[in-house]
Amino acid sequence: MTHLMLSFLIGAFLFPLSSSWTNVISTRHQMYQARMSPSILNISGNSEVMDNGEESVQSIEDLLSPNTKCTPTQMSPTSLAYIGDSVFELFVRSRYVWPTRRTTDLQNLVVGRVRAETQSKMFRNLLSSEKIQLTKEEQTIISRGRNAGSSSGGRKRGPKRLYATNNGKKSEAGGPEVYQDSTAMEALIGYAYLTDKERCTELIKFFADELDMMDDEENVAR
């Protein structure tokens, strides 16, 4: 009777203990799998886990934007121009990638459209156009962009070709003002891209119309 009672007591004690440990092990295994999940680690790059544990699917627009802590008004004009340069070049590359061209021809065409001289021409047309009414904030960004593109302390900014002279005469490329225009234009695009996608679309459409006229004059297929 004593041995039977002892066995019963040991079994009654160990069973709930082993059950508890099984639950603990199972829970830890689930936590480990959760930590190693691609969606949790964001390896796939298309989802992230919110505080409530639910997944939030990220769009391509989210992935191609700075994090939510970014404050465009506090960014330097060169940083805005850095983003604007990428946005504008992607637009130009996408525009001319079809119909198919030889890689060298495509590259030369794209480079010709994104170079400072071409941007300066389009930018000045933007400033004199009645289609686009710039806000005070945009005018401030343009002013900051111009200042960032200006030479200072004897240091010349922009491509050397802009400063080239012909027998002491000013370069036909337009000089440093061209680079200032280019930087201001890119800063404006970068600011619009980060703050107002619809406004950015308006600006890009304006430049698309400008490129349409250039293409027609040069018989460029598109």
Side-chain angles (χ1 to χ4, degrees):
M1 180 67 69
T2 304
H3 290 291
L4 290 175
M5 182 63 71
L6 182 60
S7 299
F8 174 79
L9 292 174
I10 293 175
F13 173 77
L14 289 180
F15 177 76
L17 183 62
S18 61
S19 177
S20 298
W21 275 107
T22 300
N23 292 335
V24 170
I25 294 173
S26 177
T27 301
R28 288 185 176 180
H29 179 66
Q30 292 175 1
M31 292 173 63
Y32 173 78
Q33 287 184 318
R35 288 199 302 270
M36 297 305 295
S37 171
S39 61
I40 300 295
L41 294 175
N42 207 20
I43 293 176
S44 61
N46 62 359
S47 64
E48 62 180 3
V49 177
M50 300 183 293
D51 293 338
N52 60 5
E54 296 181 357
E55 290 188 7
S56 174
V57 178
Q58 293 177 288
S59 66
I60 186 65
E61 182 178 311
D62 295 328
L63 295 172
L64 294 180
S65 301
N67 63 55
T68 55
K69 297 180 181 179
C70 173
T71 306
T73 54
Q74 296 181 4
M75 294 174 64
S76 69
T78 52
S79 294
L80 292 174
Y82 183 75
I83 293 294
D85 174 60
S86 299
V87 173
F88 185 73
E89 182 155 344
L90 178 59
F91 153 65
V92 173
R93 289 191 179 199
S94 300
R95 175 186 173 90
Y96 294 113
V97 75
W98 185 266
T100 302
R101 297 176 170 85
R102 291 193 310 170
T103 303
T104 53
D105 293 339
L106 175 61
Q107 179 66 8
N108 290 336
L109 178 58
V110 170
V111 169
R113 294 298 190 251
V114 300
R115 68 190 307 166
E117 294 90 329
T118 305
Q119 288 185 334
S120 175
K121 180 180 178 180
M122 292 190 294
F123 181 66
R124 294 185 183 187
N125 289 341
L126 173 71
L127 296 181
S128 61
S129 173
E130 296 180 356
K131 296 180 180 179
I132 301 292
Q133 300 296 322
L134 298 172
T135 65
K136 291 183 178 180
E137 291 78 8
E138 291 171 339
Q139 292 174 1
T140 299
I141 294 298
I142 289 175
S143 178
R144 293 175 60 200
R146 284 187 184 280
N147 292 336
S150 62
S151 301
S152 60
R155 179 185 177 185
K156 296 179 179 180
R157 300 182 183 276
K160 292 182 179 180
R161 67 177 182 274
L162 299 179
Y163 301 88
T165 58
N166 183 12
N167 295 326
K169 297 181 180 179
K170 184 178 180 180
S171 170
E172 294 181 357
E177 295 84 3
V178 169
Y179 186 69
Q180 289 178 293
D181 289 341
S182 175
T183 306
M185 170 182 163
E186 292 175 346
L188 176 62
I189 294 175
Y191 176 77
Y193 176 78
L194 295 175
T195 59
D196 188 342
K197 295 296 190 294
E198 291 185 6
R199 181 58 165 175
C200 186
T201 300
E202 292 178 4
L203 294 174
I204 294 298
K205 283 183 176 179
F206 178 88
F207 296 130
D209 292 339
E210 292 289 309
L211 292 179
D212 285 345
M213 291 186 286
M214 293 183 189
D215 292 343
D216 292 340
E217 292 175 359
E218 301 173 16
N219 294 319
V220 175
R222 63 178 188 277

